[in-house]
Amino acid sequence: QWVSPAFRGLPCGGSGDVALDAMRASGQFHPAAFWVRRTGRRQNGRPVLPADPLPPFGYAPSSVLPDIWRGVGAVPRSLAGAVVAIGNFDGVHLGHKALIAEALALGRKAGVGAALVTFEPHPRTVFRPEQPVFRLTPPDLRAMLAGECGVSAIAEMPFDRTFAAQPAMAFIADMLMGRLGAAGVVVGSDFAFGRGREGDAALLHRALEARNRPVCVLDPVLFADGLPVSSSRIRAALEAGEIALANTLLGHRWRVRSGIVHGDKRGRLLGYPTANMLLSPDCRLRHGIYAVRMRLEGAMGGGTWRPGVASFGRRPTFDDGAPRLETFLFDFSGDLYGRIAEVEFAGWIRGE
């Protein structure tokens, strides 16, 4: 999704995967590989991402929705025997894309696909329910973004305290090697799992090496300021209204997905009808006015990104009620009520 300017506009994801093939041919699989090759910018041996703008509107990689398996029933063929990348993948940011790119590369060598093993709900929700997690990508959006990166399947493991209490070796033997039959595993260097977080990348490597399965451990991706790309940092950027920074760290424009509901119709009376969407209560996006674009699902313009402007907040001019997202689309008319839509954020304009 995010590549050097020389490769912008090339399709990324699906069977074509031109950009990742080019990275493989270069001997590097990191999302910032071509920036590193051009500039030689590294810190402690790690590629460093530039604070560079994203591709212009109109760039849209191909997408195939992955198969989803939630730990019950037969494992899909697209998941069984795949190379798996393990993590929460909230946001599917540039660090996650590095894991996915490596899983795709290992999968090509083995002649199998790449899949994700992730956990639902977010583990922090289980252990600290009094502190709701600002989810960058709920499961449906996570799956869509993973599909755009070329992932063929996702094992979405139901996470609770019982699951967390299982021994690390039991997770490896019963799930990774047993039900999934993973051909290889990719994790970040800070990955921990099992009872009391007793399992780590080193244990995973030892256990799978004995089964002749490759394990790849990647260091965090660093931004231009030398700090790691992380979901926490992206959440903080969105809470501050720093859309450009959040989008750069993500490697794509942050988006939300929800149904369009009836509003107060004040915008229609003023000549600016808006599409009203209720976002998750855990959304902590800064209240304000944003440059956006919207894509509707289904017929009547479905799949076409349309530019517009959106307000997120409590509408202080009127009722100061519950936060909602109100989007005005340029040069569009039609009945949108009941439709499912995605809204992609391009930039901050002003406070509400």
Side-chain angles (χ1 to χ4, degrees):
Q1 287 238 28
W2 184 94
V3 292
S4 163
F7 286 84
R8 288 180 178 169
L10 294 177
C12 180
S15 59
D17 229 349
V18 177
L20 289 177
D21 283 340
M23 288 184 185
R24 184 165 74 121
S26 74
Q28 301 191 58
F29 305 105
H30 198 282
F34 292 109
W35 275 104
V36 174
R37 289 171 67 85
R38 286 199 312 127
T39 66
R41 299 190 65 215
R42 289 181 177 270
Q43 180 169 314
N44 298 325
R46 301 174 184 172
V48 179
L49 296 172
D52 182 73
L54 289 166
F57 273 160
Y59 175 75
S62 59
S63 174
V64 177
L65 195 64
D67 295 322
I68 308 295
W69 181 68
R70 296 182 172 87
V72 178
V75 177
R77 292 180 61 185
S78 56
L79 176 59
V83 174
V84 299
I86 310 176
N88 290 317
F89 295 95
D90 189 27
V92 193
H93 57 58
L94 287 171
H96 299 144
K97 289 180 171 72
L99 299 178
I100 293 172
E102 189 65 29
L104 287 166
L106 290 176
R108 289 192 189 95
K109 292 179 181 178
V112 299
L116 303 185
V117 174
T118 188
F119 311 97
E120 195 63 36
H122 193 287
R124 202 173 86 188
T125 300
V126 173
F127 292 111
R128 286 183 281 173
E130 73 284 357
Q131 300 177 15
V133 181
F134 174 10
R135 294 290 296 269
L136 300 174
T137 47
D140 56 347
L141 273 180
R142 179 176 60 198
M144 295 172 68
L145 290 167
E148 291 176 0
C149 292
V151 169
S152 58
I154 299 177
E156 196 174 275
M157 307 308 301
F159 190 89
D160 55 20
R161 290 182 178 273
T162 300
F163 184 94
Q166 67 178 313
M169 285 303 300
F171 176 73
I172 294 173
D174 299 342
M175 184 56 63
L176 293 182
M177 296 294 97
R179 302 199 69 182
L180 300 183
V185 175
V186 181
V187 295
S189 59
D190 59 350
F191 176 66
F193 65 104
R195 181 178 52 205
R197 297 173 64 85
E198 65 185 10
D200 57 11
L203 174 64
L204 197 59
H205 190 276
R206 290 194 302 271
L208 269 68
E209 187 178 41
R211 295 168 171 82
N212 198 30
R213 307 293 172 86
V215 175
C216 180
V217 181
L218 298 186
D219 285 329
V221 173
L222 303 182
F223 189 50
D225 57 9
L227 298 177
V229 174
S230 69
S231 298
S232 297
R233 186 174 185 187
I234 295 166
R235 293 186 192 108
L238 292 173
E239 290 174 19
E242 297 176 352
I243 295 297
L245 174 59
N247 288 348
T248 301
L249 295 172
L250 285 166
H252 58 264
R253 292 186 174 88
W254 184 65
R255 69 179 81 160
V256 296
R257 179 177 181 269
S258 183
I260 298 175
V261 300
H262 287 275
D264 302 320
K265 297 183 174 58
R266 290 193 180 95
R268 186 177 300 277
L269 293 174
L270 295 172
Y272 296 95
T274 58
N276 297 275
M277 302 166 67
L278 298 178
L279 305 186
S280 172
D282 64 43
C283 179
R284 295 197 295 272
L285 175 68
R286 181 181 177 185
H287 292 184
I289 312 300
Y290 295 88
V292 301
R293 62 177 185 168
M294 175 185 280
R295 177 169 66 181
L296 299 169
E297 294 186 4
M300 195 187 75
T304 300
W305 287 104
R306 300 177 182 276
V309 62
S311 169
F312 178 67
R314 299 180 182 277
R315 305 172 307 284
T317 304
F318 298 105
D319 58 5
D320 201 35
R324 70 173 66 169
L325 183 68
E326 302 183 29
T327 304
F328 171 72
L329 297 178
F330 305 139
D331 301 320
F332 178 83
S333 62
D335 185 2
L336 303 181
Y337 296 126
R339 302 284 299 277
I340 301 297
E342 294 173 68
V343 174
E344 199 175 69
F345 289 75
W348 165 267
I349 296 177
R350 63 173 177 82
E352 66 173 344

